[in-house]
Structures are given as structure tokens and as C-alpha cells.
Amino acid sequence: MDRTRFRPSNDFWIRLAACFLLVWTPYFLFSSFRDHPIPAGALVYSVAVFAVPALGFTLVAGGNRGIRHALVFAFLVSLFLDLQTTWFDGVLAAGCALVVACLCWLLREHLALILICVLGAMLAGTVLIPSNEQYVETRSVEGGAPRGARVGAQVGADPPTGTLVHIILDEFAGLGGIPEDIAGGQVLRKEIAEFFRSYGFELRANAISQYVSTKVSISSMLNFEAGETPEKNYRGKRPFILTSNRYFETLHERGYSLSVYQSNYLDYCAEAPAPLARCLTYRYDGTNWLRSADLSDFQKMAVLLGMLLNHPGILETFWKSYVGLRLQARQMGISLPVVMAWDGRVAPLASSSAFGSVRDTVSLASPGTAHFIHLLLPHSPYVFDSSCGLRDKPLKWQSHHPLHRRGNSSAGRDQRYGLYFEQVRCTLRQLGGLFDALKAEGNWDHAEIILHGDHGSRLYETAPRAEARSELTAGDLADGFSTLFASKTTRGPMVTDDSAGPVWRMLAETLGVNVGPGEQDSPLQVYLEGREDDSWVTYPWPADP
């Protein structure tokens, strides 16, 4: 037998190199854009990891330069464009993919060499020529009046003598939303209550968010209202920009010098109705924490890999299809592996990293200043244990529901709540660090502090949407809408009851804002998202959810 015909030819290695560069270059550029937060060893691991699919594509393409060869390279080039551009979407993407396929067919004789030259030049340029756009993970703007600021608004005659600290903790469930029937639930409820009691907070056990969407719930809370058209308070998309903010107006009228600490998911500064002393913005997808993370080089490589694999577009469509295939296979008694559980988000890690600088700044706050802070904690994925140690195996990190599904199974909900409980404890640990720093600097006694969530844990089995309203259980409602509300004022204990009420009303009561008898006396209801964007349906809140 002539064994020479089984030896890879030079043409095979050229095709392999082209396939490898097409699949690996986006990863390298993704890391490069972020100023390489992973060590060189992690990049070496990435070469080995991406060599595997590159070999697979090379074998599928074959060596006859026929239609299969052209289609494989057309797919890889389209995937490259999808990962590297923002315009490769929808009809334009389909048309572009068709043009790419035609070019791959016309250039099939020398296609691999052409791609090697183009991608090689791109990589060389990235390494040798510094980018004009520097990667910035935290940006701070000092002073100035944002567009729409009411600079001439009437300021209170008596400037505040204390400091106001207002922190929104994303996805922090209230006591009523911590299920007691899940292992550890009763213990955590007691820990939360004791934590806030020890620092002198008043804790409202039955605060309700009314929405399960961050941009909608927060924009409504800060305008002391709720309704079926909450989209009137914001515009845009990531960042969503608040265009109305009665809360900021109130602080300005009372004479506070206002500073904002936000992520680039929800922008409170761009069109704030009041002058801002400072606006600090951190990236909710930031990765600088990776540099000092207690992870191996291989796991650091996996973090960037997971973020890239969850890129919206072709890869997202692939994962959704695979999830659907797994569900169908399970119904037939076939078990397919879970290749990746993580949704590629790093928001709690980025928020925790940013919280350090926030703590140092706020603990030194002067009287008459207000500090509004939005932290994506204890938001999923559940990456921290109770002592804030980082979990390993990033591709196995869990979010509040399985990848590309809206709800949990009963067993999945129980398992995820165990992880969520630990991340809540980590969040309390970080809050304790802020409170202790305020005490150490002598600023605790004159500080008024408001803490609340934007919605519940969202660990429901059935997502609270309009089309599923007949299927919702008391547990689903608590998981979606029950959220934290705690306050420490310098005016002494407030006269409050423990009945269920909306967060915006509790916020208004804490600040002494009159929102009108009609709004105060209306029956409590929540809002379910409809099939269309910005479509909301009212749902009465049960007396005993």
C-alpha cells in the first residue's frame, strides 16, 4: 500500500493555517482590544484550543477546491465578520454572506493563501502598531451640567448637613423573596435581617419592584411611579439613557452635591436633570479583574473564550439551536452534554472590582454630598462563594436560568438558589466593608443610607410574562418581584408597616417626597412583559404570595 497518499500535503497545511487564523484571530483581537488582561501562557493555551476546530474545518473543506471548499471558507469568513463588526446583522448579513460565498468560489484556487496574508497582516498590525483607541474600563468625569440639567432649579435654603448614600443592588431579593423551603433559605433570611439590624438599618421585608427588567424598574423607581408605559423614562440601548429622573431633581432642590457611580448598561448621567459633581462609569463587561484573579492560565483563557462564544449573532444562533436539540434529545431518552453553562457575562466581577474605588471615595464623603451607586451585585452569574472567593471552571458558571432559556426546572432552581445564597453573602460582606470604612473615617453617624434592589432573584420556574400569566405560581412572583429595601436615616426610626408595597413608594417615604394620594392609595400590582417590546400588562399582586 502506498502510504504517501495519506501524508498531509503542503496544500493541507496552508488550508489548516487559513482555517486556524480565521477562528483564532477574533480571540486574539478580543484580548488585544482589552489590553490583554490574560498572561502569555493563556494565549498559548488558546492556540491549542482553537487548533482543534481549525483541523475539523480543514478536513470538512477537503482539498479539491470544489463547492464544499468554498462554502466552508465562506462560513468562516462570515463568522469572522460577525465577531469583528457591528453591522453584520439581519438582511445585510445575509447579503454579505452571499457575496463572500461568491468571492470564495471565484478565488478558490488561491483563497487560503490570500486569507493567510490578510489575517497575518492584521495580526502584525495589531501587535506592532498601537491602537489610537485606548481601552478604558473605568471613566470618571468631574463636574459640569449634563444636557437637560435644571441648573437654575430652586435649591433648598438649608443645605443638608449629612451625607446621603443610595445604592441599588441588582438582583438582590428581599426577605420575602428568599424561599424558606430551599436548603439554607431560612438561615440566609436570618443572616440578612441580623446584618442590617447590627448596622442600625430598618429593613422592609415585603418590598416589591413591580417589573423584572432592570432598565424599566429603576427608571420607574427614580420617578416615583409605575405604569404600562415605563419606556417614556429612558431611551437607547446599552447604555439605556434615563431621560427623566425626579429623584435627582429632588436631591438637587435640597442642595445636595450629587455624584453618580454607574455601569455602561444604564446611563444616569448623560441627560441628568441636575448638575453632577462627578460621574464614574465602569464597564459591566470589564475584564481588568482577570489580571489578579485566582485562576490558572487555562481558566483565564476560558473566561475570554466564554465571552466570545456568547457573542450575539451566528454563535448565539448555534447555541440556541444546540439547547433546543438537547431538549428534544432528552424527551427521547438521549442525554447530550452541556458544553457551556455560562452566558458569558462578567457583571458581578466588574462591579465588585469597581466597588473598591467607590468604597474608598464614599467613605471620605463630605457633608452635603449625595452618592448614587448602581452595582450589578449579587447579579448572576454566580461566580463568588460566601467569602467572595472566585469559583473556578468559568465555562460552568451558572446564571439565574439555563443558557438561552427563560425559566428553571424545580431541581435547577434549588441548585441555583444555593449558589445565589453564597453570592448574596459575598455582597453583604462587601457592604460591611463600606459601612466599616464610613465608621473608620468618622462619617457614619451623619450618613443616611438607602439600599434596595431593582427586582428579585429571577430564579423562577416560569418567567413572569403576559403569555404565561395563567401558569404563574406564588414562587414565580416572589422570585421575580420581591426585592431588598433597607434604610438608615439620621432622623430616627420611621413609622412603617410590614405590608407589601412598591419600592418607589418606600423610596419616596424615606425621602419625605409627596407623590400624591392617588398613587399612594392605588392597589398594588405588578407588570408582566408582553410579546412586543415595551408592552406591559398589569397583574394584581396577591395578598399572600
Side-chain angles (χ1 to χ4, degrees):
M1 181 180 294
D2 183 8
R3 297 182 179 275
T4 58
R5 59 179 175 174
F6 295 103
R7 295 175 183 169
S9 64
N10 289 335
D11 183 64
F12 171 85
W13 294 113
I14 291 173
R15 284 184 286 114
L16 177 60
C19 288
F20 172 77
L21 288 175
L22 280 169
V23 296
W24 181 73
T25 298
Y27 181 88
F28 180 84
L29 296 178
F30 185 66
S31 177
S32 177
F33 166 74
R34 295 167 177 274
D35 199 21
H36 292 303
I38 58 177
L43 283 175
V44 173
Y45 279 124
S46 73
V47 171
V49 169
F50 280 91
V52 175
L55 177 60
F57 283 118
T58 302
L59 294 175
V60 172
N64 63 359
R65 296 186 177 86
I67 187 67
R68 185 177 59 177
H69 177 273
L71 288 177
V72 168
F73 276 99
F75 170 77
L76 291 177
V77 172
S78 297
L79 177 60
F80 178 88
L81 293 173
D82 184 44
L83 293 172
Q84 292 301 121
T85 67
T86 56
W87 51 262
F88 195 87
D89 188 29
V91 176
L92 182 59
C96 185
L98 181 60
V99 171
V100 168
C102 293
L103 288 174
C104 287
W105 173 255
L106 293 174
L107 301 173
R108 61 189 182 277
E109 291 296 326
H110 305 288
L111 179 60
L113 279 174
I114 292 172
L115 290 171
I116 290 173
C117 292
V118 171
L119 294 169
M122 183 179 296
L123 288 171
T126 302
V127 173
L128 299 176
I129 303 174
S131 173
N132 292 327
E133 182 182 355
Q134 185 178 6
Y135 175 74
V136 178
E137 194 148 296
T138 303
R139 188 184 303 274
S140 179
V141 178
E142 308 291 334
R147 183 173 59 186
R150 296 171 54 206
V151 181
Q154 181 65 38
V155 177
D158 298 320
T161 57
T163 302
L164 176 63
V165 180
H166 182 176
I167 305 177
I168 297 181
L169 296 165
D170 214 298
E171 235 169 58
F172 202 124
L175 289 188
I178 303 293
E180 294 184 292
D181 59 336
I182 290 180
Q186 291 185 356
V187 173
L188 181 62
R189 279 193 179 197
K190 293 178 181 179
E191 288 180 15
I192 292 174
E194 174 58 25
F195 172 83
F196 286 110
R197 186 203 63 77
S198 67
Y199 282 103
F201 280 82
E202 190 166 7
L203 182 62
R204 304 289 291 269
N206 293 299
I208 306 301
S209 67
Q210 295 187 275
Y211 305 93
V212 296
S213 169
T214 296
K215 61 183 182 294
V216 175
S217 63
I218 294 179
S219 62
S220 296
M221 291 171 185
L222 297 184
N223 282 286
F224 309 120
E225 64 181 17
E228 296 182 13
T229 57
E231 65 278 0
K232 63 183 173 56
N233 293 321
Y234 64 88
R235 65 174 180 83
K237 186 174 183 180
R238 299 193 182 187
F240 298 95
I241 300 173
L242 263 68
T243 56
S244 177
N245 195 327
R246 286 177 61 188
Y247 173 70
F248 279 16
E249 290 179 7
T250 299
L251 296 186
H252 176 53
E253 290 168 359
R254 294 183 179 183
Y256 280 104
S257 175
L258 178 60
S259 294
V260 176
Y261 309 82
Q262 63 181 17
S263 75
N264 61 336
Y265 175 81
L266 191 55
D267 190 341
Y268 306 90
C269 298
E271 298 186 17
L276 302 179
R278 185 187 190 198
C279 180
L280 182 146
T281 305
Y282 64 92
R283 294 182 66 109
Y284 68 90
D285 62 344
T287 48
N288 279 348
W289 56 269
L290 258 177
R291 301 180 190 280
S292 58
D294 187 19
L295 295 172
S296 67
D297 286 0
F298 185 83
Q299 291 176 337
K300 289 183 178 182
M301 179 278 299
V303 169
L304 291 190
L305 176 63
M307 295 177 70
L308 190 65
L309 290 178
N310 278 281
H311 188 278
I314 294 175
L315 290 175
E316 182 182 52
T317 301
F318 168 79
W319 288 118
K320 286 182 177 179
S321 299
Y322 183 74
V323 168
L325 180 62
R326 283 191 68 246
L327 292 176
Q328 292 178 4
R330 184 185 301 171
Q331 294 173 357
M332 296 185 293
I334 303 172
S335 180
L336 295 179
V338 177
V339 180
M340 182 171 60
W342 179 38
D343 62 6
R345 299 182 183 183
V346 294
L349 289 152
S351 290
S352 183
S353 179
F355 193 29
S357 61
V358 171
R359 179 192 62 235
D360 295 342
T361 301
V362 172
S363 63
L364 298 171
S366 303
T369 60
H371 303 266
F372 177 82
I373 306 159
H374 181 193
L375 295 172
L376 298 169
L377 285 168
H379 198 286
S380 69
Y382 309 124
V383 298
F384 294 119
D385 61 24
S386 56
S387 61
C388 294
L390 183 59
R391 299 184 186 278
D392 58 5
K393 300 179 181 178
L395 296 184
K396 300 298 182 182
W397 285 341
Q398 303 268 350
S399 294
H400 49 73
H401 51 67
L403 190 63
H404 298 306
R405 295 178 63 189
R406 285 179 175 164
N408 284 289
S409 65
S410 178
R413 177 176 177 265
D414 290 357
Q415 186 259 341
R416 284 177 169 79
Y417 254 121
L419 299 172
Y420 174 78
F421 290 167
E422 292 202 51
Q423 193 137 301
V424 167
R425 290 187 174 96
C426 170
T427 303
L428 293 177
R429 186 185 186 96
Q430 295 186 68
L431 288 175
L434 170 62
F435 301 160
D436 292 341
L438 282 166
K439 289 183 176 183
E441 296 296 337
N443 291 326
W444 177 254
D445 291 338
H446 66 257
E448 295 193 340
I449 304 175
I450 301 172
L451 300 168
H452 64 81
D454 60 334
H455 47 64
S457 66
R458 299 196 294 192
L459 282 162
Y460 32 67
E461 294 182 34
T462 300
R465 298 179 62 87
E467 63 266 25
R469 61 183 302 160
S470 62
E471 305 169 27
L472 295 175
T473 66
D476 294 326
L477 294 173
D479 291 342
F481 298 100
S482 176
T483 194
L484 174 75
F485 193 93
S487 60
K488 181 188 85 72
T489 71
T490 58
R491 301 184 299 277
M494 296 173 57
V495 179
T496 60
D497 58 50
D498 207 26
S499 60
V503 168
W504 65 261
R505 185 183 300 169
M506 296 178 182
L507 178 61
E509 290 173 352
T510 303
L511 294 171
V513 174
N514 183 8
V515 294
E519 292 174 290
Q520 289 181 347
D521 297 337
S522 59
L524 179 60
Q525 56 190 6
V526 295
Y527 297 86
L528 309 181
E529 190 169 1
R531 293 185 181 275
E532 301 295 329
D533 289 344
D534 300 328
S535 173
W536 300 90
V537 178
T538 58
Y539 187 92
W541 186 255
D544 186 19

Short mmCIF file of all heavy atoms in Angstrom, two decimals, residues 365-404:
data_model
loop_
_atom_site.label_atom_id
_atom_site.label_comp_id
_atom_site.label_asym_id
_atom_site.label_seq_id
_atom_site.Cartn_x
_atom_site.Cartn_y
_atom_site.Cartn_z
N ALA A 365 -16.58 60.91 52.08
CA ALA A 365 -17.53 61.90 51.59
C ALA A 365 -17.73 63.04 52.59
O ALA A 365 -17.78 62.83 53.81
CB ALA A 365 -18.87 61.23 51.30
N SER A 366 -17.89 64.22 52.05
CA SER A 366 -18.12 65.40 52.88
C SER A 366 -19.61 65.61 53.12
O SER A 366 -20.45 65.16 52.34
CB SER A 366 -17.56 66.65 52.18
OG SER A 366 -16.19 66.49 51.89
N PRO A 367 -19.97 66.28 54.19
CA PRO A 367 -21.38 66.61 54.42
C PRO A 367 -21.94 67.42 53.26
O PRO A 367 -21.23 68.22 52.63
CB PRO A 367 -21.34 67.44 55.71
CG PRO A 367 -20.09 66.99 56.40
CD PRO A 367 -19.11 66.70 55.31
N GLY A 368 -23.20 67.21 52.95
CA GLY A 368 -23.83 67.93 51.85
C GLY A 368 -23.69 67.24 50.51
O GLY A 368 -24.13 67.77 49.49
N THR A 369 -23.08 66.06 50.51
CA THR A 369 -22.91 65.33 49.25
C THR A 369 -23.85 64.12 49.22
O THR A 369 -24.16 63.52 50.25
CB THR A 369 -21.47 64.84 49.07
OG1 THR A 369 -21.11 63.96 50.15
CG2 THR A 369 -20.51 66.02 49.03
N ALA A 370 -24.29 63.78 48.02
CA ALA A 370 -25.12 62.59 47.80
C ALA A 370 -24.40 61.70 46.80
O ALA A 370 -23.84 62.19 45.80
CB ALA A 370 -26.50 62.98 47.28
N HIS A 371 -24.44 60.41 47.03
CA HIS A 371 -23.73 59.45 46.19
C HIS A 371 -24.71 58.37 45.74
O HIS A 371 -25.21 57.58 46.56
CB HIS A 371 -22.56 58.84 46.97
CG HIS A 371 -21.61 59.88 47.48
ND1 HIS A 371 -20.49 60.26 46.81
CD2 HIS A 371 -21.66 60.63 48.61
CE1 HIS A 371 -19.87 61.21 47.49
NE2 HIS A 371 -20.56 61.45 48.59
N PHE A 372 -24.98 58.36 44.45
CA PHE A 372 -25.91 57.38 43.87
C PHE A 372 -25.08 56.31 43.17
O PHE A 372 -24.28 56.61 42.28
CB PHE A 372 -26.84 58.06 42.87
CG PHE A 372 -27.77 57.10 42.18
CD1 PHE A 372 -28.93 56.67 42.79
CD2 PHE A 372 -27.47 56.62 40.91
CE1 PHE A 372 -29.78 55.78 42.15
CE2 PHE A 372 -28.31 55.74 40.26
CZ PHE A 372 -29.47 55.31 40.89
N ILE A 373 -25.29 55.04 43.56
CA ILE A 373 -24.43 53.94 43.10
C ILE A 373 -25.29 52.79 42.59
O ILE A 373 -26.22 52.36 43.28
CB ILE A 373 -23.54 53.44 44.27
CG1 ILE A 373 -22.75 54.60 44.88
CG2 ILE A 373 -22.61 52.33 43.81
CD1 ILE A 373 -22.27 54.33 46.30
N HIS A 374 -24.99 52.29 41.41
CA HIS A 374 -25.69 51.12 40.86
C HIS A 374 -24.65 50.01 40.67
O HIS A 374 -23.74 50.14 39.85
CB HIS A 374 -26.36 51.45 39.53
CG HIS A 374 -27.10 50.29 38.93
ND1 HIS A 374 -27.56 50.29 37.63
CD2 HIS A 374 -27.48 49.09 39.45
CE1 HIS A 374 -28.18 49.15 37.37
NE2 HIS A 374 -28.14 48.40 38.47
N LEU A 375 -24.80 48.95 41.45
CA LEU A 375 -23.88 47.82 41.38
C LEU A 375 -24.62 46.58 40.89
O LEU A 375 -25.72 46.27 41.35
CB LEU A 375 -23.28 47.53 42.76
CG LEU A 375 -22.38 48.62 43.36
CD1 LEU A 375 -22.04 48.27 44.79
CD2 LEU A 375 -21.12 48.79 42.53
N LEU A 376 -24.01 45.86 39.97
CA LEU A 376 -24.59 44.64 39.43
C LEU A 376 -24.22 43.47 40.34
O LEU A 376 -23.57 42.51 39.93
CB LEU A 376 -24.14 44.42 37.99
CG LEU A 376 -24.58 45.53 37.03
CD1 LEU A 376 -23.88 45.40 35.69
CD2 LEU A 376 -26.07 45.53 36.84
N LEU A 377 -24.63 43.59 41.58
CA LEU A 377 -24.41 42.60 42.63
C LEU A 377 -25.70 42.45 43.42
O LEU A 377 -26.37 43.47 43.67
CB LEU A 377 -23.29 43.04 43.57
CG LEU A 377 -21.85 42.94 43.07
CD1 LEU A 377 -20.93 43.70 44.03
CD2 LEU A 377 -21.42 41.50 42.98
N PRO A 378 -26.08 41.26 43.81
CA PRO A 378 -25.47 39.94 43.56
C PRO A 378 -25.92 39.30 42.24
O PRO A 378 -26.22 38.11 42.19
CB PRO A 378 -25.97 39.13 44.76
CG PRO A 378 -27.35 39.69 45.02
CD PRO A 378 -27.27 41.16 44.70
N HIS A 379 -25.99 40.09 41.22
CA HIS A 379 -26.45 39.65 39.89
C HIS A 379 -25.68 38.41 39.42
O HIS A 379 -24.51 38.22 39.72
CB HIS A 379 -26.23 40.79 38.91
CG HIS A 379 -27.00 40.68 37.64
ND1 HIS A 379 -26.67 39.80 36.65
CD2 HIS A 379 -28.09 41.36 37.18
CE1 HIS A 379 -27.51 39.92 35.64
NE2 HIS A 379 -28.39 40.86 35.94
N SER A 380 -26.40 37.56 38.67
CA SER A 380 -25.75 36.39 38.08
C SER A 380 -24.78 36.83 36.98
O SER A 380 -24.90 37.96 36.47
CB SER A 380 -26.80 35.44 37.51
OG SER A 380 -27.42 36.00 36.37
N PRO A 381 -23.82 35.99 36.61
CA PRO A 381 -23.60 34.61 37.03
C PRO A 381 -23.04 34.52 38.46
O PRO A 381 -22.46 35.48 38.97
CB PRO A 381 -22.59 34.07 36.01
CG PRO A 381 -21.81 35.27 35.60
CD PRO A 381 -22.82 36.40 35.59
N TYR A 382 -23.20 33.35 39.06
CA TYR A 382 -22.82 33.16 40.44
C TYR A 382 -21.36 32.71 40.50
O TYR A 382 -21.05 31.52 40.45
CB TYR A 382 -23.77 32.15 41.10
CG TYR A 382 -25.21 32.53 40.87
CD1 TYR A 382 -26.10 31.63 40.27
CD2 TYR A 382 -25.67 33.80 41.19
CE1 TYR A 382 -27.42 32.00 40.03
CE2 TYR A 382 -26.97 34.18 40.94
CZ TYR A 382 -27.84 33.28 40.36
OH TYR A 382 -29.14 33.66 40.11
N VAL A 383 -20.49 33.70 40.60
CA VAL A 383 -19.05 33.48 40.48
C VAL A 383 -18.34 33.53 41.83
O VAL A 383 -17.17 33.15 41.92
CB VAL A 383 -18.43 34.53 39.53
CG1 VAL A 383 -19.01 34.40 38.15
CG2 VAL A 383 -18.65 35.95 40.07
N PHE A 384 -19.02 34.01 42.88
CA PHE A 384 -18.39 34.16 44.19
C PHE A 384 -18.97 33.16 45.19
O PHE A 384 -20.17 32.88 45.18
CB PHE A 384 -18.62 35.57 44.75
CG PHE A 384 -17.95 36.65 43.96
CD1 PHE A 384 -18.69 37.66 43.36
CD2 PHE A 384 -16.57 36.69 43.82
CE1 PHE A 384 -18.09 38.67 42.64
CE2 PHE A 384 -15.95 37.69 43.11
CZ PHE A 384 -16.71 38.69 42.51
N ASP A 385 -18.10 32.66 46.06
CA ASP A 385 -18.60 31.92 47.21
C ASP A 385 -18.91 32.93 48.32
O ASP A 385 -18.76 34.14 48.15
CB ASP A 385 -17.62 30.84 47.65
CG ASP A 385 -16.26 31.38 48.08
OD1 ASP A 385 -16.18 32.56 48.48
OD2 ASP A 385 -15.27 30.63 48.02
N SER A 386 -19.32 32.45 49.47
CA SER A 386 -19.78 33.34 50.54
C SER A 386 -18.68 34.24 51.08
O SER A 386 -18.96 35.31 51.63
CB SER A 386 -20.40 32.52 51.68
OG SER A 386 -19.47 31.56 52.16
N SER A 387 -17.42 33.85 50.92
CA SER A 387 -16.31 34.68 51.38
C SER A 387 -15.70 35.50 50.24
O SER A 387 -14.61 36.05 50.38
CB SER A 387 -15.22 33.81 52.03
OG SER A 387 -14.71 32.87 51.09
N CYS A 388 -16.41 35.57 49.12
CA CYS A 388 -16.00 36.32 47.92
C CYS A 388 -14.82 35.69 47.19
O CYS A 388 -14.12 36.37 46.42
CB CYS A 388 -15.69 37.79 48.25
SG CYS A 388 -17.15 38.72 48.78
N GLY A 389 -14.58 34.39 47.45
CA GLY A 389 -13.60 33.67 46.65
C GLY A 389 -14.16 33.38 45.28
O GLY A 389 -15.36 33.09 45.12
N LEU A 390 -13.33 33.43 44.27
CA LEU A 390 -13.78 33.25 42.89
C LEU A 390 -13.88 31.76 42.56
O LEU A 390 -12.94 30.99 42.80
CB LEU A 390 -12.79 33.94 41.94
CG LEU A 390 -13.13 33.91 40.44
CD1 LEU A 390 -14.47 34.57 40.18
CD2 LEU A 390 -12.02 34.63 39.65
N ARG A 391 -15.00 31.37 42.00
CA ARG A 391 -15.18 29.97 41.60
C ARG A 391 -14.35 29.68 40.35
O ARG A 391 -14.17 30.55 39.50
CB ARG A 391 -16.66 29.68 41.30
CG ARG A 391 -17.57 29.90 42.49
CD ARG A 391 -19.01 29.50 42.17
NE ARG A 391 -19.90 29.83 43.27
CZ ARG A 391 -20.06 29.09 44.35
NH1 ARG A 391 -19.40 27.95 44.47
NH2 ARG A 391 -20.90 29.46 45.31
N ASP A 392 -13.88 28.44 40.23
CA ASP A 392 -13.10 28.07 39.05
C ASP A 392 -14.03 27.52 37.97
O ASP A 392 -15.25 27.60 38.08
CB ASP A 392 -12.02 27.06 39.42
CG ASP A 392 -12.59 25.79 40.06
OD1 ASP A 392 -13.83 25.65 40.12
OD2 ASP A 392 -11.79 24.93 40.48
N LYS A 393 -13.46 27.00 36.90
CA LYS A 393 -14.19 26.44 35.75
C LYS A 393 -15.21 27.44 35.19
O LYS A 393 -16.42 27.24 35.27
CB LYS A 393 -14.90 25.14 36.15
CG LYS A 393 -13.95 24.06 36.64
CD LYS A 393 -14.69 22.81 37.05
CE LYS A 393 -13.71 21.75 37.55
NZ LYS A 393 -14.42 20.51 38.01
N PRO A 394 -14.73 28.53 34.60
CA PRO A 394 -15.62 29.59 34.13
C PRO A 394 -16.73 29.13 33.17
O PRO A 394 -17.85 29.65 33.25
CB PRO A 394 -14.65 30.56 33.42
CG PRO A 394 -13.34 30.30 34.05
CD PRO A 394 -13.31 28.85 34.38
N LEU A 395 -16.46 28.18 32.29
CA LEU A 395 -17.48 27.77 31.34
C LEU A 395 -18.62 27.04 32.03
O LEU A 395 -19.68 26.81 31.41
CB LEU A 395 -16.87 26.88 30.25
CG LEU A 395 -15.83 27.54 29.35
CD1 LEU A 395 -15.37 26.59 28.25
CD2 LEU A 395 -16.37 28.83 28.74
N LYS A 396 -18.45 26.70 33.31
CA LYS A 396 -19.51 26.03 34.08
C LYS A 396 -20.21 26.99 35.04
O LYS A 396 -21.08 26.57 35.80
CB LYS A 396 -18.93 24.85 34.87
CG LYS A 396 -18.27 23.78 34.01
CD LYS A 396 -19.27 23.13 33.05
CE LYS A 396 -18.61 22.03 32.23
NZ LYS A 396 -19.56 21.43 31.25
N TRP A 397 -19.83 28.28 35.02
CA TRP A 397 -20.52 29.25 35.87
C TRP A 397 -22.01 29.26 35.54
O TRP A 397 -22.40 29.19 34.38
CB TRP A 397 -19.94 30.65 35.67
CG TRP A 397 -18.59 30.85 36.32
CD1 TRP A 397 -18.04 30.10 37.30
CD2 TRP A 397 -17.65 31.89 36.02
NE1 TRP A 397 -16.80 30.60 37.64
CE2 TRP A 397 -16.54 31.70 36.87
CE3 TRP A 397 -17.64 32.96 35.13
CZ2 TRP A 397 -15.43 32.54 36.85
CZ3 TRP A 397 -16.53 33.80 35.10
CH2 TRP A 397 -15.44 33.60 35.96
N GLN A 398 -22.83 29.38 36.57
CA GLN A 398 -24.29 29.31 36.40
C GLN A 398 -24.90 30.70 36.46
O GLN A 398 -24.48 31.55 37.26
CB GLN A 398 -24.89 28.45 37.52
CG GLN A 398 -24.33 27.05 37.60
CD GLN A 398 -25.14 26.06 36.78
OE1 GLN A 398 -26.21 26.37 36.29
NE2 GLN A 398 -24.62 24.85 36.65
N SER A 399 -25.94 30.90 35.65
CA SER A 399 -26.73 32.13 35.70
C SER A 399 -28.09 31.80 36.31
O SER A 399 -28.34 30.68 36.73
CB SER A 399 -26.88 32.72 34.30
OG SER A 399 -25.62 33.15 33.83
N HIS A 400 -28.99 32.80 36.35
CA HIS A 400 -30.27 32.57 37.04
C HIS A 400 -31.20 31.63 36.29
O HIS A 400 -32.24 31.24 36.81
CB HIS A 400 -30.97 33.90 37.36
CG HIS A 400 -31.06 34.85 36.21
ND1 HIS A 400 -31.92 34.67 35.16
CD2 HIS A 400 -30.40 36.01 35.96
CE1 HIS A 400 -31.78 35.68 34.31
NE2 HIS A 400 -30.86 36.49 34.77
N HIS A 401 -30.87 31.28 35.07
CA HIS A 401 -31.60 30.24 34.36
C HIS A 401 -30.64 29.59 33.36
O HIS A 401 -29.60 30.17 33.02
CB HIS A 401 -32.84 30.79 33.65
CG HIS A 401 -32.56 31.99 32.78
ND1 HIS A 401 -31.81 31.92 31.62
CD2 HIS A 401 -32.93 33.29 32.91
CE1 HIS A 401 -31.73 33.11 31.07
NE2 HIS A 401 -32.39 33.96 31.83
N PRO A 402 -30.95 28.40 32.87
CA PRO A 402 -30.05 27.74 31.91
C PRO A 402 -29.86 28.60 30.66
O PRO A 402 -30.70 29.43 30.31
CB PRO A 402 -30.79 26.43 31.58
CG PRO A 402 -31.66 26.18 32.75
CD PRO A 402 -32.09 27.54 33.23
N LEU A 403 -28.76 28.38 30.00
CA LEU A 403 -28.39 29.17 28.83
C LEU A 403 -29.50 29.14 27.79
O LEU A 403 -29.98 28.08 27.39
CB LEU A 403 -27.09 28.62 28.23
CG LEU A 403 -26.41 29.45 27.14
CD1 LEU A 403 -25.98 30.80 27.70
CD2 LEU A 403 -25.21 28.69 26.57
N HIS A 404 -29.95 30.35 27.38
CA HIS A 404 -30.97 30.54 26.34
C HIS A 404 -32.32 29.92 26.70
O HIS A 404 -33.08 29.51 25.82
CB HIS A 404 -30.48 30.00 24.99
CG HIS A 404 -29.27 30.70 24.48
ND1 HIS A 404 -29.21 32.06 24.33
CD2 HIS A 404 -28.04 30.23 24.10
CE1 HIS A 404 -28.01 32.42 23.88
NE2 HIS A 404 -27.30 31.33 23.75
#
